[in-house]
Amino acid sequence: MEGKIIVTVVGKDAVGIIAKICTYLASNRINVSDISQTITGGFFNMMMVVEPNEPVKPFADLKRELGQIGEEIGVEVRCQKSDIFEMMHRV
């Protein structure tokens, strides 16, 4: 993996969402460089900018594995490479 990755997490609020996601990232040597999270009406919304410290695994594996963690804890987790994210959100 290269460069920054945008990770978004959305779903019903529950204990341990941030812990599960951050534990996975740390175990894969991926640094959280920025994070924003809110809880509105019982719904959790988090956006993270993360950066791998070294290329540990392919982006597709990261995306799939975070998606599986999301399913296990009842939230939706999406990953996008930052350059694609920026192109999609350019005004």
Side-chain angles (χ1 to χ4, degrees):
M1 288 184 296
E2 300 178 0
K4 295 179 182 180
I5 298 167
I6 308 300
V7 178
T8 56
V9 182
V10 178
K12 189 157 174 53
D13 188 34
V15 173
I17 296 171
I18 296 172
K20 275 278 202 192
I21 301 297
C22 288
T23 298
Y24 171 84
L25 294 171
S27 70
N28 284 281
R29 301 188 43 75
I30 299 170
N31 185 51
V32 177
S33 58
D34 200 357
I35 183 171
S36 172
Q37 67 94 26
T38 59
I39 300 169
T40 305
F43 290 94
F44 180 86
N45 183 24
M46 178 170 66
M47 181 175 171
M48 307 168 85
V49 179
V50 302
E51 298 178 73
N53 288 328
E54 57 190 59
V56 177
K57 63 176 60 181
F59 174 75
D61 291 349
L62 168 74
K63 187 174 180 174
R64 179 180 43 78
E65 291 170 3
L66 280 170
Q68 289 172 340
I69 290 170
E71 287 179 20
E72 292 169 12
I73 61 177
V75 296
E76 183 176 340
V77 180
R78 293 188 179 202
C79 300
Q80 294 178 295
K81 293 184 178 182
S82 65
D83 54 345
I84 293 171
F85 184 85
E86 289 171 7
M87 292 295 283
M88 288 175 49
H89 293 91
R90 188 174 286 173
V91 177

